[in-house]
Amino acid sequence: MPLRLVLAALGGLALTASFEPIAIPYLLPFGLAAFALATRDLTFWRSGLVGLVFGVAFYFTHIDWMRTSIGPDAWVALSAIEALFYGLVGLAVPLVRRLPAWPVWLAATWTAADGLRSGWPFSGMPWGRLGFAVVDTPVAAALAYVGMTGLSFLLALVGFLLAAGVETWLDRSEAPVRRARQLGFGGALAILAVLVIPTVAPYETEVTGSAVVAAVQGNLPGPADDILYDHRGVTRNHVDATIDLADGDVRPDFVLWPENSTAVDPFRESDVNDGIREAVAAVGVPVVVGGLVDDGEDHVLNQGIVWDPVTGPGERYTKQHPVAYGEYIPFRRYWDPNFGALREIGRDMKSGTRTSPIQVAGIKVADAICFDVAYDDVARDQLQEGAELMTVQTSNASFIFTDQIDQQFAITRLRAIESGRWLVVAATNGITGVIAPDGTVVASADPRTTAVLVEQVGLSTELTPAIRLGAWPARVLTGLALLGLVLGAIAYRRQREEDAASTRDASDAPAPETSPSPSETSVG
């Protein structure tokens, strides 16, 4: 058992190394194979413990940026909750391992658990999904065909098929095992081949138009990791950068400001409102402002607001996935913590429900705010309703000295591939960039600098197969996982009944007659 725990921990660390900042995605299948090998032939609780150790090794290191940016208490709490899901997958292993083609059932179970923890409890935490690790690899192009959930399933399947091949390689049995060995390694290679094919023939959406977009990174006065140190100075920086843009030779179709470019209600604060109007009037085109808008005394909305130079503020997108214990306190009516970083959350952020794109300068734009980009539904729903371009407004200032900004930018690039759309990112002080539909970074700004990126982007209304599939891959794989658990439970019960019957038959059988030993023979 100790060796299995070590193997599980090494597998979790290998999975961490697949993501930014180490970013060696080719370690991913080996990390998953280590999970499968470490949980092989264990009882439920032992397998669950091994899965939990894997989860601890992976998640505590994967989001280590939270320890320094938010606080060790939040880091420990969130990492522990997420690690439990890997323990649950470990509990499922003894069931699905009883089924033929167990790598398929286990891959479905893993993917379903990933989907569950990405949205629950509360708003969930999508970080660590397998598909998020493949940027700049040959398999990334498959996203346009199978989506993030489908790709995560196929990556998990490669890892578990690899484990099946290793198991049969170690088994010294005859021909049936050799055939199974070939199926394990051969299956892994076949899935990899399928994943790489889209690189040769990538899905390209038809371009129906173009636009020039400016992304403003105003930077923070004072400490680079404290958006509230001088939030009016942050707004002023974005105003000044936009006015400087107006003095240039290129006039964009619209300007994108980041999340928290105004950290107060831009409709109530006169100086902030005046600054926005000044910038919009100077540039003469709509500006998508990132602002916190009051919604009563107890709630706030995190919005992208289309501010027109003629008509003023218009359409808005509201962040759909606020971060629990970061932007709101669950069950505040029963428990209102007043310590550490939680003390700063005076009001709860409400979730938005908009599924249609916002209209900006006649362009249908699918907007996302910060962590929204890691959730499948935000962009997908807007794209299905005709969005021609994607934007992300983010304020990663709290994480600016950590690897979080690189992880989020990698996720953002993958969303561009999945959607087949150009994508523009505006951040308060990093990472601001313009991304092509194949994930290429066309332009980016150095973190902790003031910069304005002005780029021509393509527009399209064509949907990739991944966007057309919508939520169906997640539904099918969740159903497959549940079916696997049921069939595995039936197989487990049948095996126990057979074992019990064998025990009864053995106990009911008459004892064999034996010859008396020499010591028991009478002497006559």
Side-chain angles (χ1 to χ4, degrees):
M1 187 68 177
L3 290 178
R4 290 176 179 264
L5 296 176
V6 170
L7 180 60
L10 291 175
L13 294 175
L15 188 56
T16 294
S18 304
F19 296 86
E20 301 288 345
I22 300 175
I24 308 177
Y26 304 103
L27 291 175
L28 187 150
F30 296 101
L32 295 178
F35 174 90
L37 293 170
T39 54
R40 179 192 185 194
D41 295 334
L42 292 179
T43 60
F44 288 103
W45 295 116
R46 289 188 172 215
S47 182
L49 175 60
V50 170
L52 179 62
V53 169
F54 178 98
V56 168
F58 169 51
Y59 225 84
F60 275 77
T61 53
H62 181 53
I63 64 165
D64 180 68
W65 44 264
M66 181 171 282
R67 176 176 57 86
T68 54
S69 58
I70 304 300
D73 49 352
W75 169 64
V76 170
L78 180 57
S79 298
I81 290 172
E82 297 303 310
L84 288 173
F85 285 91
Y86 298 93
L88 291 176
V89 177
L91 288 174
V93 168
L95 294 180
V96 296
R97 277 275 200 163
R98 297 174 181 275
L99 302 177
W102 66 263
V104 176
W105 299 102
L106 185 54
T109 303
W110 182 287
T111 310
D114 251 3
L116 177 62
R117 68 170 187 79
S118 295
W120 184 88
F122 311 123
S123 52
M125 182 58 175
W127 252 247
R129 294 176 66 185
L130 301 182
F132 290 163
V134 301
V135 71
D136 294 324
T137 70
V139 305
L143 276 168
Y145 292 92
V146 299
M148 197 65 68
T149 300
L151 181 57
S152 294
F153 167 75
L154 292 174
L155 290 170
L157 183 56
V158 169
F160 298 144
L161 283 171
L162 180 61
V166 170
E167 289 175 1
T168 53
W169 184 268
L170 296 174
D171 196 316
R172 297 179 180 274
S173 301
E174 296 302 323
V177 170
R178 287 200 298 271
R179 286 195 295 271
R181 178 189 311 156
Q182 294 167 357
L183 287 174
F185 289 134
L189 291 174
I191 297 299
L192 279 174
V194 169
L195 289 173
V196 171
I197 286 174
T199 300
V200 181
Y203 192 91
E204 297 181 0
T205 52
E206 180 183 0
V207 177
T208 56
S210 65
V212 176
V213 181
V216 178
Q217 179 177 290
N219 205 13
L220 272 64
D225 59 353
D226 188 355
I227 195 78
L228 298 178
Y229 174 81
D230 181 6
H231 62 84
R232 283 179 170 77
V234 174
T235 301
R236 190 70 240 177
N237 282 357
H238 287 83
V239 170
D240 292 342
T242 305
I243 293 174
D244 291 342
L245 169 66
D247 294 334
D249 298 329
V250 180
R251 177 171 172 168
D253 290 285
F254 73 89
V255 179
L256 184 69
W257 282 11
E259 175 193 25
N260 284 352
S261 45
T262 71
V264 292
D265 192 327
F267 302 108
R268 292 178 178 240
E269 296 290 330
S270 59
D271 55 342
V272 171
N273 188 280
D274 291 343
I276 294 172
R277 292 181 182 279
E278 179 186 4
V280 174
V283 76
V285 298
V287 176
V288 184
V289 176
L292 296 179
V293 178
D294 297 331
D295 188 47
E297 295 182 359
D298 300 325
H299 297 93
V300 66
L301 303 173
N302 192 349
Q303 295 188 324
I305 307 161
V306 181
W307 213 294
D308 189 87
V310 177
T311 59
E315 293 198 30
R316 310 183 199 178
Y317 167 79
T318 303
K319 185 176 185 179
Q320 294 189 35
H321 296 280
V323 179
Y325 299 107
E327 293 172 321
Y328 74 100
I329 305 295
F331 306 117
R332 188 191 287 270
R333 68 175 66 181
Y334 306 111
W335 180 62
D336 192 2
N338 191 31
F339 56 86
L342 298 178
R343 186 184 297 110
E344 299 178 7
I345 308 174
R347 294 183 296 172
D348 289 336
M349 187 176 291
K350 279 187 175 180
S351 301
T353 58
R354 179 172 184 145
T355 59
S356 60
I358 56 176
Q359 290 272 356
V360 190
I363 303 167
K364 292 183 178 181
V365 176
D367 196 22
I369 296 179
C370 203
F371 278 31
D372 270 351
V373 73
Y375 293 85
D376 291 342
D377 58 336
V378 174
R380 181 191 67 213
D381 292 347
Q382 296 179 75
L383 290 165
Q384 289 178 343
E385 294 198 30
E388 305 167 272
L389 175 71
M390 292 177 62
T391 58
V392 175
Q393 299 173 278
T394 186
S395 173
N396 284 334
S398 298
F399 314 116
I400 196 64
F401 297 115
T402 74
D403 304 314
Q404 188 275 349
I405 63 172
D406 299 303
Q407 292 176 359
Q408 183 172 319
F409 198 68
I411 295 170
T412 305
R413 292 176 60 196
L414 291 166
R415 289 301 186 194
I417 299 171
E418 181 183 43
S419 65
R421 293 290 189 277
W422 283 81
L423 196 156
V424 182
V425 186
T428 49
N429 61 349
I431 301 173
T432 296
V434 179
I435 304 166
D438 63 357
T440 301
V441 180
V442 175
S444 63
D446 292 333
R448 305 191 300 280
T449 62
T450 299
V452 179
L453 304 180
V454 183
E455 295 290 336
Q456 180 170 317
V457 299
L459 306 177
S460 178
T461 56
E462 183 181 351
L463 300 181
T464 63
I467 300 301
R468 290 181 184 277
L469 286 171
W472 279 106
R475 293 169 183 161
V476 169
L477 290 170
T478 299
L480 190 63
L482 293 174
L483 178 62
L485 293 175
V486 170
L487 294 177
I490 293 172
Y492 174 75
R493 182 176 178 179
R494 183 179 300 131
Q495 183 64 52
R496 292 197 64 179
E497 291 175 349
E498 291 175 357
D499 291 344
S502 298
T503 302
R504 286 195 302 270
D505 292 343
S507 62
D508 292 342
E513 295 183 1
T514 58
S515 301
S517 63
S519 61
E520 295 172 328
T521 305
S522 59
V523 178

